[in-house]
Amino acid sequence: MDRYGELAQAIVDGDEIQVLKTVRRLLKNGADPLKVISVGLVGGMESVGYMFSKKEIFISDVIISARVMKSGIDLVRRMCKAPARRPLGKVVLGTVKGDIHDIGKNLVGIMLEIGGFLVYDLGVNVEPQQFVKAVKERNAQILAMSAQLTTTVLNMQTTIEAIKAAGMRDDVKIIIGGLAVSRRFADKIGADGYSHDASSAVCLCRRLLKIRQTGGRNRGPDLRIVKRQRRERSDT
Ligand code: B12
């Protein structure tokens, strides 16, 4: 079993010490943080979800693995803190009212932060009016909502209605995600976008804000412009 497999297994075992040790070791050896999250941590949590659906483990086991996963994500976040720079945009993020699942939402938050966005995470069980207030106060360009329960997805629609009622619909792009929703549902409730995982959420936000895709974290100067300027300087 490789290190990523060991990490996934430690999530299944709910072994926090092992998770932190493996995450630290992988990152110190130069591993890609996105891979640490998506293959190691999420891989482990997917197995937990599968075992739970097959009634092989109890809900208490799921809760323990979820807590350990959170510690792992927090460590990745601390060790990979993006250098201070002008954010690409401001995102208000939260899990909708009635829903306390936050693992997927947290992953979306960390990926957006690594991708250069400033994220205001409102947590879980967020009321529509809390979203409205935060978007207004933070002057956010993106509102991102997460839902895992089919019983709570309609609170996304209620939130969109509340944003409209506040006269802010043209000022903010709204994206949704989570196990309980789909692209079709996003279209139906009038959201601007949907993505099925955290990495594509970053591309989605860039696309909605019309930010040029760089294919990575390199947001340095446009080399064509730099070269042209150099040429012009040497001509004079
Ligand atoms: C962990 C878990 C829990 C944990 C949550 C811990 C936590 N801190 O989040 C606990 C044990 C507390 C829990 C509780 C419950 N759970 Co639960 N839970 C799960 C489980 C096993 C895994 C969810 C998860 O974290 N997946 C891993 C993450 C990484 O994936 P993800 O959430 O899908 O997120 C990714 C994408 O969806 C996307 N994404 C997510 N959000 C967003 C947002 C945006 C804007 C974008 C762009 C993308 C995006 O990016 C993420 C990363 O790539 C799932 C089963 C499963 N296999 O998924 C059930 C599941 C979601 N739970 C379920 C249920 C029913 C419950 C309970 C009602 C159980 C109960 N009887 O009490 C309660 C709900 C309480 C409540 N009011 O919310 C059902 C939902 C069924 C349904 N269709 O409604 C599921 C599907 C289990 C099942 N098969 O029945 N649960």
Side-chain angles (χ1 to χ4, degrees):
M1 195 190 294
D2 67 359
R3 287 251 183 272
Y4 294 98
E6 279 172 31
L7 183 53
Q9 186 59 47
I11 290 285
V12 174
D13 297 340
D15 186 342
E16 186 168 25
I17 294 173
Q18 187 61 28
V19 165
L20 297 180
K21 207 166 103 184
T22 314
V23 167
R24 203 168 280 124
R25 190 170 294 164
L26 277 164
L27 291 176
K28 277 196 173 149
N29 288 336
D32 177 358
L34 301 188
K35 190 171 172 195
V36 172
I37 291 174
S38 57
V39 179
L41 298 174
V42 173
M45 206 58 215
E46 276 169 2
S47 304
V48 170
Y50 178 76
M51 289 158 83
F52 180 61
S53 68
K54 294 281 168 211
K55 298 191 170 41
E56 288 171 13
I57 55 171
F58 298 107
I59 195 142
S60 51
D61 299 315
V62 180
I63 293 174
I64 292 170
S65 291
R67 272 197 207 135
V68 171
M69 162 120 181
K70 198 164 188 293
S71 308
I73 291 179
D74 286 345
L75 180 59
V76 176
R77 183 181 266 142
R78 283 200 303 278
M79 288 183 73
C80 304
K81 208 168 173 10
R85 57 188 182 192
R86 203 162 66 84
L88 294 178
K90 291 186 233 166
V91 182
V92 164
L93 171 71
T95 302
V96 295
K97 184 182 169 193
D99 197 331
I100 59 161
H101 293 88
D102 67 357
I103 298 172
K105 184 255 311 160
N106 292 345
L107 286 178
V108 171
I110 188 173
M111 294 294 196
L112 286 172
E113 276 175 9
I114 292 174
F117 289 86
L118 184 56
V119 178
Y120 298 100
D121 188 343
L122 306 187
V124 296
N125 193 23
V126 181
E127 297 273 350
Q129 284 306 330
Q130 281 176 269
F131 279 122
V132 175
K133 190 164 172 263
V135 169
K136 197 174 192 173
E137 284 178 1
R138 304 297 186 178
N139 202 12
Q141 293 94 347
I142 304 234
L143 167 59
M145 291 184 277
S146 177
Q148 299 298 318
L149 299 174
T150 40
T151 47
T152 61
V153 292
L154 283 179
N155 290 326
M156 292 179 159
Q157 190 170 8
T158 314
T159 305
I160 295 179
E161 295 305 327
I163 290 275
K164 279 185 192 158
M168 293 154 53
R169 186 65 188 92
D170 291 339
D171 307 329
V172 63
K173 298 288 181 195
I174 301 177
I175 65 168
I176 64 168
L179 202 63
V181 297
S182 61
R183 192 176 304 278
R184 215 162 135 221
F185 179 74
D187 292 341
K188 191 173 150 211
I189 63 171
D192 297 299
Y194 158 85
S195 87
H196 71 284
D197 68 16
S199 338
S200 44
V202 181
C203 301
L204 176 62
C205 289
R206 293 184 74 110
R207 202 170 62 240
L208 287 172
L209 298 188
K210 298 192 170 48
I211 297 164
R212 197 168 52 91
Q213 302 288 347
T214 58
R217 292 175 61 190
N218 173 19
R219 297 202 298 118
D222 184 331
L223 287 179
R224 284 166 309 180
I225 297 175
V226 173
K227 276 184 190 157
R228 198 182 60 221
Q229 285 170 341
R230 275 202 200 127
R231 254 198 327 271
E232 283 166 3
R233 269 202 301 273
S234 63
D235 285 350
T236 53

